[in-house]
Structure formats: structure tokens, C-alpha cells
Amino acid sequence: MKAMLFADWMNIRRSMKALLWVFAVMAVSAFAYGGSAFIPFLVTMLSVMGPATLMSTDHAYGWDRLSLTLPVSRRDIVSSKFTVSLALNAAMFLLGVVLTMVFSAVHRDGSLAENLLGLLACEAAALLLMGIEFDLILRFGTERGRYFLLGVVWVPIIALTALKNHPAFNRLVQAVGGMDSWPVGQLTAFFGGLVIVGAIVYAVCWRIGVGIYRKREL
């Protein structure tokens, strides 16, 4: 397991500079234009890039096939990728927290709690999408898995847009809008619960991914 973690870290390290540069440019833009609310979405976007980067790098260098011939279990191979991707996500989340706090201190706009809650919501979404992305790539391959992930993200959005005049959609909008009156403690508990749900889904996706990878032929 340690050897697989090291190998995956060496693979993802090649892309770390690019990810950090993207994060830095977007963070500077957020500070320059006062768009601190963009930071949570940035954390989600870069976190979702982790699984695709790991799997595409493996495929490009032939490591995905070579690793199947090594004296390591397929469970360890999948677990390593999920662990490295989760570590990358945690690093991005911590950077997002620091940047949000610095932004609030510099601009003194009083939106620290709101932005941190938005960061929790985006972290929950990141965990959910990362887990689903891993399983889609393991099942359908790197390229097709990415396209299916786009479907997972955009199909619900398009469906909600198409049903925007439906009474159920209006009730959903009212429920979300009504959350503005919730106390900070209740909002924190709610979004913290979403993060826990996202973590559970990520763990379930890991288990599913192990099952998919065990059936892969050399």
C-alpha cells in the first residue's frame, strides 16, 4: 500500500504545479474583483480534477496495466488513488479556508460565515463528484468516464431548468431561500451534515470501485 501511495503521489506531483498556478490565478482574481464567493467553487473544480488527473496519467504511462501485474492487491491500488485524491482535496479545502479568512480580513465585508458555509457546501459536492468520477472512470475508462461525469453534473441542472415552472421547483426555491433566516449554528450543522453525507458516498464509491477493479482483465 505504501509503495502504491508513493507511486500515485509521484504521478500527481507532475500536475501539482499546474493546479497550484490555477488556484493562485483564480484566487488573485477573486481578491481583485471582490468575488470571494468564487473560492468555494474553485475548491470543488480543482478537487474534481484530481481523480481524472491520476487516472489519465496512469493510462498515458501504461501504469494502469503494469500495476495489475505487481504483487499488490487490487484493493490497495484503488485505495491508494482514493487516498491521494482525498489528500489533494483536503489540501485545497484548507487553502480555501485560509483564503476566505484572509479575504474577509482584508475587505471587512462581514461575509466570513457565509463564505465558510459555502465552502462546506462545495466540499460536500466535491466529495460526491470525486467518488462518482472514480467509479465511472474505473468502469468506462478515462475519456468516457469524463463524459459520463458531465452528464451526472449537467443532467440534473438541465432538468431543473426545464421544470422551473413546476410547483415542486417553486417549493424547492422557497425552501432554499428560507434558509437565509436560519441561525448560523443551524446552518453549520446542516452543511456539516452534507459533508458527512459526501464522505459516506465517497467511501461507498471506494467500495464499488474496488469491486469494479477486481473484475478488470490484464
Side-chain angles (χ1 to χ4, degrees):
M1 178 67 175
K2 290 182 179 179
M4 294 307 304
L5 286 171
F6 179 75
D8 284 330
W9 164 247
M10 293 301 291
N11 281 338
I12 197 69
R13 194 179 67 171
R14 297 187 179 97
S15 303
M16 284 296 293
K17 288 184 179 180
L19 291 175
L20 290 175
W21 270 111
V22 171
F23 196 97
V25 170
M26 295 300 182
V28 170
S29 300
F31 273 79
Y33 296 102
S36 62
F38 183 70
I39 294 176
F41 294 100
L42 176 62
V43 171
T44 303
M45 180 183 69
L46 293 181
S47 295
V48 172
M49 288 175 63
T53 301
L54 272 171
M55 302 300 286
S56 61
T57 302
D58 277 5
H59 181 71
Y61 289 95
W63 178 247
D64 54 343
R65 292 182 177 274
L66 177 61
S67 61
L68 293 176
T69 66
L70 298 176
V72 292
S73 69
R74 299 195 178 198
R75 179 190 181 98
D76 287 344
I77 294 174
V78 175
S79 298
S80 174
K81 298 187 185 308
F82 270 78
T83 301
V84 171
S85 185
L86 185 61
L88 179 63
N89 164 257
M92 292 297 174
F93 178 76
L94 291 176
L95 279 174
V97 171
V98 171
L99 285 175
T100 299
M101 296 179 69
V102 171
F103 184 93
S104 296
V106 171
H107 291 274
R108 300 182 183 277
D109 58 358
S111 61
L112 176 60
E114 179 181 345
N115 289 333
L116 288 177
L117 289 172
L119 195 59
L120 283 177
C122 287
E123 173 65 8
L127 290 171
L128 176 68
L129 293 175
M130 285 163 55
I132 294 174
E133 182 180 9
F134 263 126
D135 286 352
L136 289 174
I137 292 176
L138 288 170
R139 176 63 180 85
F140 299 104
T142 304
E143 296 302 324
R144 286 194 297 170
R146 287 176 175 175
Y147 292 132
F148 279 117
L149 179 66
L150 290 175
V152 170
V153 174
W154 283 103
V155 167
I157 295 176
I158 294 173
L160 287 175
T161 302
L163 297 174
K164 63 181 180 180
N165 294 324
H166 194 276
F169 181 82
N170 293 330
R171 287 195 293 270
L172 176 62
V173 172
Q174 292 173 2
V176 173
M179 291 173 64
D180 291 338
S181 61
W182 289 9
V184 174
Q186 187 175 356
L187 285 171
T188 302
F190 176 77
F191 288 112
L194 289 182
V195 173
I196 293 174
V197 171
I200 293 173
V201 172
Y202 191 75
V204 171
C205 288
W206 162 77
R207 185 66 187 87
I208 295 173
V210 171
I212 293 173
Y213 205 66
R214 281 175 173 166
K215 298 178 182 178
R216 176 174 291 186
E217 297 181 359
L218 291 174

